[in-house]
Amino acid sequence: MARKQILAAITAGLFFTCLLQAAQAQSIAVMPVRLQMLPGQQATSLTVINQGDVESAIQVRPFVWTHVDGKEQLTPSDDILASPPLATIAPGAIQVVRLVLRKPVPDRESTYRILLDQIPPAAAPGTVRIALRLSIPVFAAPATRVAPHLAFHIERSGGQSYLVAVNSGTAHNTLRNIALTRSDGSNVSVETGASPYVLAATTRRWTISSERLPAPGGALHLTAQGIDRDITETVPIVTAHP
């Protein structure tokens, strides 16, 4: 290896090491990573742990969490009160953040997200500070019994194709390890890395490959993992209406 290449590799390694050390110095952890409020429960809490070697400031903000036109939307809300909304945590210490539900839950599950932002101190010369943002889902159950109810179809619109899940139920479900296959057993590529949640009374879309899809009126085979059961269905292909 040429000398310049060696120096470049050493420089890149040192930069990565500094970046990693800074990230570790500023790292925080939250427990739990998902909150479920049972019927009648008005309060819960998060435990925030400073795993770094310097003090860390955090900000906690609640949002109403919905899906609009198949896309996730967060709206600032005072339905949940976070206390304290701002805190500074010493190295190795913990901070308990209390969350109080201020609005009655209607006849279907209410969904929120808590955004926890790390506010890093000013970086010393030659160092990098990495701020973290954690998004924690909160599900609040009503007094009545709730359950998800999903219906699926493949939608072709404007040269693009989507797997569409319509949740007409009163609680969320999750879809993980989604797989679509053609009648010959070959796979159809499905968008990865998307949020698995399908909230109550909402519609979710996942982009899929349009290559070799059957015409409207045909179908694909769907398999996925839901919250409490595996999903295996034949999914019809439709043409979206404008």
Side-chain angles (χ1 to χ4, degrees):
M1 184 183 292
R3 183 175 179 179
K4 287 185 177 180
Q5 291 177 310
I6 294 173
L7 289 174
I10 293 173
T11 301
L14 288 173
F15 176 77
F16 178 78
T17 300
C18 290
L19 197 64
L20 181 61
Q21 288 175 344
Q24 290 174 337
Q26 285 299 106
S27 63
I28 57 175
V30 172
M31 297 187 302
V33 295
R34 176 183 180 276
L35 292 167
Q36 178 69 61
M37 301 181 73
L38 301 176
Q41 184 179 353
Q42 294 297 117
T44 187
S45 63
L46 288 171
T47 299
V48 186
I49 308 166
N50 183 358
Q51 297 178 321
D53 54 9
V54 296
E55 71 176 20
S56 184
I58 60 168
Q59 180 181 31
V60 183
R61 294 175 295 155
F63 293 80
V64 170
W65 174 27
T66 57
H67 284 129
V68 178
D69 296 327
K71 297 181 180 180
E72 184 171 279
Q73 180 170 302
L74 299 180
T75 305
S77 174
D78 59 0
D79 290 358
I80 291 183
L81 176 67
S83 179
L86 294 166
T88 299
I89 311 173
I94 66 172
Q95 173 68 56
V96 175
V97 178
R98 183 172 169 80
L99 303 171
V100 179
L101 188 62
R102 304 174 64 192
K103 181 179 179 180
V105 181
D107 57 358
R108 70 168 183 253
E109 182 181 66
S110 293
T111 51
Y112 304 93
R113 275 193 178 270
I114 303 298
L115 292 190
L116 190 149
D117 290 301
Q118 184 182 35
I119 307 172
T127 65
V128 178
R129 295 295 188 190
I130 300 176
L132 300 179
R133 168 170 289 179
L134 302 176
S135 179
I136 299 99
V138 182
F139 302 97
T144 55
R145 184 176 180 180
V146 294
H149 185 270
L150 300 186
F152 300 93
H153 64 269
I154 304 297
E155 187 176 285
R156 306 186 71 169
S157 176
Q160 185 61 66
S161 301
Y162 306 91
L163 168 66
V164 182
V166 180
N167 186 356
S168 60
T170 51
H172 77 283
N173 204 336
T174 60
L175 289 182
R176 304 182 190 277
N177 300 323
I178 299 171
L180 288 171
T181 54
R182 304 178 183 90
S183 58
D184 62 3
S186 59
N187 293 325
V188 175
S189 176
V190 183
E191 172 187 2
T192 59
S195 168
Y197 294 104
V198 187
L199 304 184
T202 63
T203 298
R204 279 292 313 278
R205 288 177 173 83
W206 291 262
T207 304
I208 68 173
S209 171
S210 296
E211 183 180 358
R212 293 177 50 220
L213 278 188
L220 295 175
H221 183 68
L222 166 70
T223 60
Q225 291 179 335
I227 286 180
D228 56 1
R229 68 178 182 90
D230 290 340
I231 296 170
T232 302
E233 292 193 17
T234 298
V235 181
I237 298 174
V238 303
T239 300
H241 297 290

